[in-house]
PDB file of all heavy atoms in Angstrom:
ATOM      1  N   ILE A 156     -49.298  35.726  20.339  1.00  0.00           N
ATOM      2  CA  ILE A 156     -48.764  35.484  21.681  1.00  0.00           C
ATOM      3  C   ILE A 156     -49.475  34.278  22.293  1.00  0.00           C
ATOM      4  O   ILE A 156     -50.707  34.181  22.250  1.00  0.00           O
ATOM      5  CB  ILE A 156     -48.931  36.725  22.579  1.00  0.00           C
ATOM      6  CG1 ILE A 156     -48.358  36.448  23.977  1.00  0.00           C
ATOM      7  CG2 ILE A 156     -50.369  37.179  22.652  1.00  0.00           C
ATOM      8  CD1 ILE A 156     -48.253  37.686  24.835  1.00  0.00           C
ATOM      9  N   SER A 157     -48.709  33.391  22.835  1.00  0.00           N
ATOM     10  CA  SER A 157     -49.272  32.199  23.459  1.00  0.00           C
ATOM     11  C   SER A 157     -49.544  32.461  24.937  1.00  0.00           C
ATOM     12  O   SER A 157     -49.069  33.441  25.520  1.00  0.00           O
ATOM     13  CB  SER A 157     -48.306  31.012  23.308  1.00  0.00           C
ATOM     14  OG  SER A 157     -47.093  31.278  23.998  1.00  0.00           O
ATOM     15  N   ARG A 158     -50.287  31.555  25.530  1.00  0.00           N
ATOM     16  CA  ARG A 158     -50.617  31.675  26.951  1.00  0.00           C
ATOM     17  C   ARG A 158     -49.348  31.614  27.805  1.00  0.00           C
ATOM     18  O   ARG A 158     -49.166  32.393  28.741  1.00  0.00           O
ATOM     19  CB  ARG A 158     -51.583  30.565  27.348  1.00  0.00           C
ATOM     20  CG  ARG A 158     -52.047  30.601  28.797  1.00  0.00           C
ATOM     21  CD  ARG A 158     -53.105  29.525  29.025  1.00  0.00           C
ATOM     22  NE  ARG A 158     -53.577  29.529  30.397  1.00  0.00           N
ATOM     23  CZ  ARG A 158     -53.003  28.832  31.368  1.00  0.00           C
ATOM     24  NH1 ARG A 158     -51.950  28.069  31.121  1.00  0.00           N
ATOM     25  NH2 ARG A 158     -53.497  28.884  32.591  1.00  0.00           N
ATOM     26  N   SER A 159     -48.451  30.680  27.453  1.00  0.00           N
ATOM     27  CA  SER A 159     -47.216  30.536  28.234  1.00  0.00           C
ATOM     28  C   SER A 159     -46.317  31.758  28.107  1.00  0.00           C
ATOM     29  O   SER A 159     -45.682  32.172  29.077  1.00  0.00           O
ATOM     30  CB  SER A 159     -46.454  29.284  27.775  1.00  0.00           C
ATOM     31  OG  SER A 159     -46.135  29.371  26.395  1.00  0.00           O
ATOM     32  N   ALA A 160     -46.283  32.363  26.911  1.00  0.00           N
ATOM     33  CA  ALA A 160     -45.449  33.548  26.709  1.00  0.00           C
ATOM     34  C   ALA A 160     -45.952  34.719  27.549  1.00  0.00           C
ATOM     35  O   ALA A 160     -45.156  35.461  28.138  1.00  0.00           O
ATOM     36  CB  ALA A 160     -45.420  33.932  25.237  1.00  0.00           C
ATOM     37  N   TYR A 161     -47.288  34.865  27.607  1.00  0.00           N
ATOM     38  CA  TYR A 161     -47.822  35.971  28.399  1.00  0.00           C
ATOM     39  C   TYR A 161     -47.533  35.773  29.883  1.00  0.00           C
ATOM     40  O   TYR A 161     -47.072  36.689  30.570  1.00  0.00           O
ATOM     41  CB  TYR A 161     -49.325  36.135  28.199  1.00  0.00           C
ATOM     42  CG  TYR A 161     -49.919  37.034  29.253  1.00  0.00           C
ATOM     43  CD1 TYR A 161     -49.716  38.413  29.206  1.00  0.00           C
ATOM     44  CD2 TYR A 161     -50.608  36.504  30.345  1.00  0.00           C
ATOM     45  CE1 TYR A 161     -50.209  39.240  30.207  1.00  0.00           C
ATOM     46  CE2 TYR A 161     -51.099  37.326  31.348  1.00  0.00           C
ATOM     47  CZ  TYR A 161     -50.897  38.697  31.272  1.00  0.00           C
ATOM     48  OH  TYR A 161     -51.367  39.512  32.266  1.00  0.00           O
ATOM     49  N   TYR A 162     -47.812  34.577  30.397  1.00  0.00           N
ATOM     50  CA  TYR A 162     -47.603  34.343  31.822  1.00  0.00           C
ATOM     51  C   TYR A 162     -46.135  34.402  32.216  1.00  0.00           C
ATOM     52  O   TYR A 162     -45.801  34.728  33.358  1.00  0.00           O
ATOM     53  CB  TYR A 162     -48.224  33.010  32.237  1.00  0.00           C
ATOM     54  CG  TYR A 162     -49.719  33.101  32.429  1.00  0.00           C
ATOM     55  CD1 TYR A 162     -50.596  32.510  31.522  1.00  0.00           C
ATOM     56  CD2 TYR A 162     -50.251  33.797  33.510  1.00  0.00           C
ATOM     57  CE1 TYR A 162     -51.966  32.609  31.687  1.00  0.00           C
ATOM     58  CE2 TYR A 162     -51.634  33.905  33.682  1.00  0.00           C
ATOM     59  CZ  TYR A 162     -52.473  33.308  32.767  1.00  0.00           C
ATOM     60  OH  TYR A 162     -53.831  33.423  32.940  1.00  0.00           O
ATOM     61  N   LEU A 163     -45.255  34.092  31.268  1.00  0.00           N
ATOM     62  CA  LEU A 163     -43.826  34.263  31.537  1.00  0.00           C
ATOM     63  C   LEU A 163     -43.493  35.739  31.716  1.00  0.00           C
ATOM     64  O   LEU A 163     -42.737  36.116  32.619  1.00  0.00           O
ATOM     65  CB  LEU A 163     -42.999  33.664  30.400  1.00  0.00           C
ATOM     66  CG  LEU A 163     -41.476  33.813  30.509  1.00  0.00           C
ATOM     67  CD1 LEU A 163     -40.962  33.115  31.763  1.00  0.00           C
ATOM     68  CD2 LEU A 163     -40.799  33.242  29.269  1.00  0.00           C
ATOM     69  N   TRP A 164     -44.070  36.577  30.855  1.00  0.00           N
ATOM     70  CA  TRP A 164     -43.855  38.026  30.990  1.00  0.00           C
ATOM     71  C   TRP A 164     -44.421  38.516  32.325  1.00  0.00           C
ATOM     72  O   TRP A 164     -43.780  39.308  33.023  1.00  0.00           O
ATOM     73  CB  TRP A 164     -44.538  38.775  29.844  1.00  0.00           C
ATOM     74  CG  TRP A 164     -44.541  40.264  30.044  1.00  0.00           C
ATOM     75  CD1 TRP A 164     -43.543  41.134  29.724  1.00  0.00           C
ATOM     76  CD2 TRP A 164     -45.586  41.034  30.646  1.00  0.00           C
ATOM     77  NE1 TRP A 164     -43.899  42.413  30.095  1.00  0.00           N
ATOM     78  CE2 TRP A 164     -45.147  42.381  30.660  1.00  0.00           C
ATOM     79  CE3 TRP A 164     -46.835  40.720  31.175  1.00  0.00           C
ATOM     80  CZ2 TRP A 164     -45.932  43.407  31.176  1.00  0.00           C
ATOM     81  CZ3 TRP A 164     -47.610  41.745  31.698  1.00  0.00           C
ATOM     82  CH2 TRP A 164     -47.157  43.070  31.692  1.00  0.00           C
ATOM     83  N   GLN A 165     -45.626  38.060  32.689  1.00  0.00           N
ATOM     84  CA  GLN A 165     -46.252  38.497  33.932  1.00  0.00           C
ATOM     85  C   GLN A 165     -45.417  38.064  35.141  1.00  0.00           C
ATOM     86  O   GLN A 165     -45.251  38.834  36.096  1.00  0.00           O
ATOM     87  CB  GLN A 165     -47.665  37.916  34.038  1.00  0.00           C
ATOM     88  CG  GLN A 165     -48.413  38.353  35.296  1.00  0.00           C
ATOM     89  CD  GLN A 165     -49.838  37.847  35.306  1.00  0.00           C
ATOM     90  OE1 GLN A 165     -50.546  37.925  34.309  1.00  0.00           O
ATOM     91  NE2 GLN A 165     -50.268  37.317  36.448  1.00  0.00           N
ATOM     92  N   LYS A 166     -44.880  36.860  35.087  1.00  0.00           N
ATOM     93  CA  LYS A 166     -44.056  36.367  36.193  1.00  0.00           C
ATOM     94  C   LYS A 166     -42.792  37.201  36.338  1.00  0.00           C
ATOM     95  O   LYS A 166     -42.398  37.570  37.452  1.00  0.00           O
ATOM     96  CB  LYS A 166     -43.703  34.898  35.948  1.00  0.00           C
ATOM     97  CG  LYS A 166     -42.847  34.285  37.036  1.00  0.00           C
ATOM     98  CD  LYS A 166     -42.549  32.822  36.730  1.00  0.00           C
ATOM     99  CE  LYS A 166     -41.660  32.220  37.809  1.00  0.00           C
ATOM    100  NZ  LYS A 166     -41.343  30.790  37.518  1.00  0.00           N
ATOM    101  N   ARG A 167     -42.143  37.500  35.218  1.00  0.00           N
ATOM    102  CA  ARG A 167     -40.924  38.308  35.270  1.00  0.00           C
ATOM    103  C   ARG A 167     -41.226  39.708  35.785  1.00  0.00           C
ATOM    104  O   ARG A 167     -40.426  40.290  36.524  1.00  0.00           O
ATOM    105  CB  ARG A 167     -40.293  38.372  33.886  1.00  0.00           C
ATOM    106  CG  ARG A 167     -39.665  37.050  33.437  1.00  0.00           C
ATOM    107  CD  ARG A 167     -39.138  37.148  32.032  1.00  0.00           C
ATOM    108  NE  ARG A 167     -38.447  35.923  31.638  1.00  0.00           N
ATOM    109  CZ  ARG A 167     -38.004  35.684  30.404  1.00  0.00           C
ATOM    110  NH1 ARG A 167     -38.198  36.586  29.444  1.00  0.00           N
ATOM    111  NH2 ARG A 167     -37.389  34.553  30.132  1.00  0.00           N
ATOM    112  N   ARG A 168     -42.380  40.248  35.402  1.00  0.00           N
ATOM    113  CA  ARG A 168     -42.731  41.586  35.867  1.00  0.00           C
ATOM    114  C   ARG A 168     -42.942  41.588  37.377  1.00  0.00           C
ATOM    115  O   ARG A 168     -42.521  42.521  38.076  1.00  0.00           O
ATOM    116  CB  ARG A 168     -44.000  42.064  35.156  1.00  0.00           C
ATOM    117  CG  ARG A 168     -44.438  43.445  35.604  1.00  0.00           C
ATOM    118  CD  ARG A 168     -45.670  43.896  34.849  1.00  0.00           C
ATOM    119  NE  ARG A 168     -46.094  45.190  35.368  1.00  0.00           N
ATOM    120  CZ  ARG A 168     -46.863  45.352  36.436  1.00  0.00           C
ATOM    121  NH1 ARG A 168     -47.294  44.296  37.106  1.00  0.00           N
ATOM    122  NH2 ARG A 168     -47.210  46.565  36.838  1.00  0.00           N
ATOM    123  N   MET A 169     -43.586  40.550  37.890  1.00  0.00           N
ATOM    124  CA  MET A 169     -43.805  40.468  39.332  1.00  0.00           C
ATOM    125  C   MET A 169     -42.487  40.361  40.090  1.00  0.00           C
ATOM    126  O   MET A 169     -42.314  40.955  41.147  1.00  0.00           O
ATOM    127  CB  MET A 169     -44.696  39.258  39.650  1.00  0.00           C
ATOM    128  CG  MET A 169     -46.129  39.396  39.137  1.00  0.00           C
ATOM    129  SD  MET A 169     -47.095  37.884  39.401  1.00  0.00           S
ATOM    130  CE  MET A 169     -47.060  37.802  41.192  1.00  0.00           C
ATOM    131  N   ILE A 170     -41.539  39.611  39.503  1.00  0.00           N
ATOM    132  CA  ILE A 170     -40.227  39.485  40.140  1.00  0.00           C
ATOM    133  C   ILE A 170     -39.497  40.817  40.141  1.00  0.00           C
ATOM    134  O   ILE A 170     -38.855  41.211  41.124  1.00  0.00           O
ATOM    135  CB  ILE A 170     -39.393  38.402  39.434  1.00  0.00           C
ATOM    136  CG1 ILE A 170     -40.034  37.015  39.630  1.00  0.00           C
ATOM    137  CG2 ILE A 170     -37.958  38.392  39.948  1.00  0.00           C
ATOM    138  CD1 ILE A 170     -39.357  35.916  38.860  1.00  0.00           C
ATOM    139  N   ASP A 171     -39.593  41.546  39.025  1.00  0.00           N
ATOM    140  CA  ASP A 171     -38.920  42.840  38.927  1.00  0.00           C
ATOM    141  C   ASP A 171     -39.509  43.854  39.909  1.00  0.00           C
ATOM    142  O   ASP A 171     -38.815  44.773  40.360  1.00  0.00           O
ATOM    143  CB  ASP A 171     -39.028  43.383  37.502  1.00  0.00           C
ATOM    144  CG  ASP A 171     -38.233  42.541  36.515  1.00  0.00           C
ATOM    145  OD1 ASP A 171     -37.329  41.802  36.964  1.00  0.00           O
ATOM    146  OD2 ASP A 171     -38.523  42.600  35.305  1.00  0.00           O
ATOM    147  N   GLN A 172     -40.785  43.701  40.206  1.00  0.00           N
ATOM    148  CA  GLN A 172     -41.441  44.652  41.093  1.00  0.00           C
ATOM    149  C   GLN A 172     -41.070  44.448  42.557  1.00  0.00           C
ATOM    150  O   GLN A 172     -41.234  45.350  43.364  1.00  0.00           O
ATOM    151  CB  GLN A 172     -42.965  44.545  40.949  1.00  0.00           C
ATOM    152  CG  GLN A 172     -43.510  45.211  39.699  1.00  0.00           C
ATOM    153  CD  GLN A 172     -45.017  45.146  39.652  1.00  0.00           C
ATOM    154  OE1 GLN A 172     -45.620  44.175  40.087  1.00  0.00           O
ATOM    155  NE2 GLN A 172     -45.631  46.189  39.122  1.00  0.00           N
ATOM    156  N   GLN A 173     -40.605  43.260  42.878  1.00  0.00           N
ATOM    157  CA  GLN A 173     -40.257  42.968  44.266  1.00  0.00           C
ATOM    158  C   GLN A 173     -38.927  43.636  44.604  1.00  0.00           C
ATOM    159  O   GLN A 173     -37.887  43.270  44.086  1.00  0.00           O
ATOM    160  CB  GLN A 173     -40.152  41.450  44.488  1.00  0.00           C
ATOM    161  CG  GLN A 173     -41.481  40.733  44.383  1.00  0.00           C
ATOM    162  CD  GLN A 173     -41.323  39.241  44.602  1.00  0.00           C
ATOM    163  OE1 GLN A 173     -40.214  38.745  44.709  1.00  0.00           O
ATOM    164  NE2 GLN A 173     -42.439  38.524  44.658  1.00  0.00           N
ATOM    165  N   SER A 174     -38.987  44.599  45.477  1.00  0.00           N
ATOM    166  CA  SER A 174     -37.766  45.308  45.883  1.00  0.00           C
ATOM    167  C   SER A 174     -37.107  44.567  47.032  1.00  0.00           C
ATOM    168  O   SER A 174     -37.783  43.918  47.833  1.00  0.00           O
ATOM    169  CB  SER A 174     -38.094  46.732  46.310  1.00  0.00           C
ATOM    170  OG  SER A 174     -39.004  46.721  47.394  1.00  0.00           O
ATOM    171  N   PRO A 175     -35.773  44.655  47.167  1.00  0.00           N
ATOM    172  CA  PRO A 175     -35.076  43.957  48.251  1.00  0.00           C
ATOM    173  C   PRO A 175     -35.527  44.387  49.644  1.00  0.00           C
ATOM    174  O   PRO A 175     -35.467  43.622  50.588  1.00  0.00           O
ATOM    175  CB  PRO A 175     -33.610  44.326  48.008  1.00  0.00           C
ATOM    176  CG  PRO A 175     -33.540  44.700  46.562  1.00  0.00           C
ATOM    177  CD  PRO A 175     -34.858  45.326  46.252  1.00  0.00           C
ATOM    178  N   GLY A 176     -36.006  45.654  49.800  1.00  0.00           N
ATOM    179  CA  GLY A 176     -36.392  46.138  51.117  1.00  0.00           C
ATOM    180  C   GLY A 176     -37.812  45.801  51.514  1.00  0.00           C
ATOM    181  O   GLY A 176     -38.249  46.135  52.604  1.00  0.00           O
ATOM    182  N   ALA A 177     -38.526  45.111  50.588  1.00  0.00           N
ATOM    183  CA  ALA A 177     -39.927  44.833  50.887  1.00  0.00           C
ATOM    184  C   ALA A 177     -40.082  43.806  51.986  1.00  0.00           C
ATOM    185  O   ALA A 177     -40.876  43.946  52.891  1.00  0.00           O
ATOM    186  CB  ALA A 177     -40.654  44.367  49.633  1.00  0.00           C
ATOM    187  N   ARG A 178     -39.276  42.756  51.934  1.00  0.00           N
ATOM    188  CA  ARG A 178     -39.419  41.669  52.894  1.00  0.00           C
ATOM    189  C   ARG A 178     -39.056  42.083  54.324  1.00  0.00           C
ATOM    190  O   ARG A 178     -39.771  41.759  55.251  1.00  0.00           O
ATOM    191  CB  ARG A 178     -38.580  40.478  52.448  1.00  0.00           C
ATOM    192  CG  ARG A 178     -39.137  39.840  51.175  1.00  0.00           C
ATOM    193  CD  ARG A 178     -38.316  38.658  50.743  1.00  0.00           C
ATOM    194  NE  ARG A 178     -38.858  38.075  49.538  1.00  0.00           N
ATOM    195  CZ  ARG A 178     -38.298  37.062  48.901  1.00  0.00           C
ATOM    196  NH1 ARG A 178     -37.170  36.535  49.368  1.00  0.00           N
ATOM    197  NH2 ARG A 178     -38.861  36.580  47.810  1.00  0.00           N
ATOM    198  N   PRO A 179     -37.950  42.818  54.535  1.00  0.00           N
ATOM    199  CA  PRO A 179     -37.651  43.255  55.902  1.00  0.00           C
ATOM    200  C   PRO A 179     -38.761  44.076  56.521  1.00  0.00           C
ATOM    201  O   PRO A 179     -39.031  43.976  57.708  1.00  0.00           O
ATOM    202  CB  PRO A 179     -36.363  44.065  55.737  1.00  0.00           C
ATOM    203  CG  PRO A 179     -35.725  43.468  54.517  1.00  0.00           C
ATOM    204  CD  PRO A 179     -36.853  43.127  53.627  1.00  0.00           C
ATOM    205  N   SER A 180     -39.413  44.925  55.695  1.00  0.00           N
ATOM    206  CA  SER A 180     -40.486  45.753  56.232  1.00  0.00           C
ATOM    207  C   SER A 180     -41.642  44.892  56.704  1.00  0.00           C
ATOM    208  O   SER A 180     -42.279  45.176  57.701  1.00  0.00           O
ATOM    209  CB  SER A 180     -40.978  46.740  55.163  1.00  0.00           C
ATOM    210  OG  SER A 180     -41.501  46.037  54.035  1.00  0.00           O
ATOM    211  N   VAL A 181     -41.899  43.800  55.949  1.00  0.00           N
ATOM    212  CA  VAL A 181     -42.973  42.897  56.356  1.00  0.00           C
ATOM    213  C   VAL A 181     -42.616  42.233  57.667  1.00  0.00           C
ATOM    214  O   VAL A 181     -43.433  42.093  58.574  1.00  0.00           O
ATOM    215  CB  VAL A 181     -43.220  41.823  55.261  1.00  0.00           C
ATOM    216  CG1 VAL A 181     -44.196  40.774  55.762  1.00  0.00           C
ATOM    217  CG2 VAL A 181     -43.726  42.489  54.003  1.00  0.00           C
ATOM    218  N   ALA A 182     -41.341  41.822  57.794  1.00  0.00           N
ATOM    219  CA  ALA A 182     -40.889  41.160  59.011  1.00  0.00           C
ATOM    220  C   ALA A 182     -40.987  42.107  60.202  1.00  0.00           C
ATOM    221  O   ALA A 182     -41.391  41.719  61.297  1.00  0.00           O
ATOM    222  CB  ALA A 182     -39.445  40.668  58.839  1.00  0.00           C
ATOM    223  N   SER A 183     -40.619  43.380  59.997  1.00  0.00           N
ATOM    224  CA  SER A 183     -40.653  44.337  61.095  1.00  0.00           C
ATOM    225  C   SER A 183     -42.082  44.618  61.528  1.00  0.00           C
ATOM    226  O   SER A 183     -42.374  44.749  62.709  1.00  0.00           O
ATOM    227  CB  SER A 183     -39.967  45.644  60.669  1.00  0.00           C
ATOM    228  OG  SER A 183     -40.639  46.196  59.546  1.00  0.00           O
ATOM    229  N   SER A 184     -43.006  44.662  60.552  1.00  0.00           N
ATOM    230  CA  SER A 184     -44.390  44.915  60.904  1.00  0.00           C
ATOM    231  C   SER A 184     -44.974  43.749  61.674  1.00  0.00           C
ATOM    232  O   SER A 184     -45.734  43.937  62.627  1.00  0.00           O
ATOM    233  CB  SER A 184     -45.221  45.176  59.644  1.00  0.00           C
ATOM    234  OG  SER A 184     -45.185  44.035  58.805  1.00  0.00           O
ATOM    235  N   SER A 185     -44.609  42.511  61.248  1.00  0.00           N
ATOM    236  CA  SER A 185     -45.113  41.345  61.948  1.00  0.00           C
ATOM    237  C   SER A 185     -44.555  41.280  63.360  1.00  0.00           C
ATOM    238  O   SER A 185     -45.240  40.903  64.303  1.00  0.00           O
ATOM    239  CB  SER A 185     -44.753  40.065  61.176  1.00  0.00           C
ATOM    240  OG  SER A 185     -43.349  39.945  61.072  1.00  0.00           O
ATOM    241  N   SER A 186     -43.270  41.666  63.521  1.00  0.00           N
ATOM    242  CA  SER A 186     -42.670  41.633  64.843  1.00  0.00           C
ATOM    243  C   SER A 186     -43.309  42.672  65.759  1.00  0.00           C
ATOM    244  O   SER A 186     -43.519  42.436  66.946  1.00  0.00           O
ATOM    245  CB  SER A 186     -41.158  41.877  64.741  1.00  0.00           C
ATOM    246  OG  SER A 186     -40.900  43.141  64.171  1.00  0.00           O
ATOM    247  N   SER A 187     -43.647  43.849  65.215  1.00  0.00           N
ATOM    248  CA  SER A 187     -44.284  44.879  66.028  1.00  0.00           C
ATOM    249  C   SER A 187     -45.670  44.428  66.465  1.00  0.00           C
ATOM    250  O   SER A 187     -46.110  44.701  67.582  1.00  0.00           O
ATOM    251  CB  SER A 187     -44.381  46.189  65.248  1.00  0.00           C
ATOM    252  OG  SER A 187     -45.156  45.995  64.068  1.00  0.00           O
ATOM    253  N   THR A 188     -46.353  43.704  65.545  1.00  0.00           N
ATOM    254  CA  THR A 188     -47.671  43.185  65.894  1.00  0.00           C
ATOM    255  C   THR A 188     -47.569  42.175  67.020  1.00  0.00           C
ATOM    256  O   THR A 188     -48.387  42.141  67.946  1.00  0.00           O
ATOM    257  CB  THR A 188     -48.327  42.541  64.659  1.00  0.00           C
ATOM    258  OG1 THR A 188     -48.361  43.480  63.607  1.00  0.00           O
ATOM    259  CG2 THR A 188     -49.733  42.043  64.978  1.00  0.00           C
ATOM    260  N   THR A 189     -46.524  41.337  66.912  1.00  0.00           N
ATOM    261  CA  THR A 189     -46.319  40.329  67.953  1.00  0.00           C
ATOM    262  C   THR A 189     -46.045  40.979  69.290  1.00  0.00           C
ATOM    263  O   THR A 189     -46.562  40.554  70.352  1.00  0.00           O
ATOM    264  CB  THR A 189     -45.136  39.426  67.579  1.00  0.00           C
ATOM    265  OG1 THR A 189     -45.389  38.862  66.294  1.00  0.00           O
ATOM    266  CG2 THR A 189     -44.950  38.308  68.592  1.00  0.00           C
ATOM    267  N   GLU A 190     -45.239  42.071  69.287  1.00  0.00           N
ATOM    268  CA  GLU A 190     -44.925  42.767  70.518  1.00  0.00           C
ATOM    269  C   GLU A 190     -46.168  43.384  71.142  1.00  0.00           C
ATOM    270  O   GLU A 190     -46.361  43.370  72.361  1.00  0.00           O
ATOM    271  CB  GLU A 190     -43.866  43.840  70.252  1.00  0.00           C
ATOM    272  CG  GLU A 190     -42.497  43.251  69.913  1.00  0.00           C
ATOM    273  CD  GLU A 190     -41.502  44.350  69.586  1.00  0.00           C
ATOM    274  OE1 GLU A 190     -41.920  45.527  69.600  1.00  0.00           O
ATOM    275  OE2 GLU A 190     -40.339  44.035  69.321  1.00  0.00           O
TER     276      GLU A 190
END
Side-chain angles (χ1 to χ4, degrees):
I156 180 169
S157 63
R158 182 175 180 272
S159 59
Y161 166 74
Y162 281 108
L163 178 61
W164 171 85
Q165 182 175 315
K166 180 179 179 181
R167 289 176 176 173
R168 179 178 177 276
M169 293 175 62
I170 294 174
D171 292 340
Q172 283 183 325
Q173 292 180 353
S174 59
R178 292 180 180 177
S180 61
V181 172
S183 60
S184 61
S185 61
S186 61
S187 60
T188 305
T189 304
E190 291 177 358

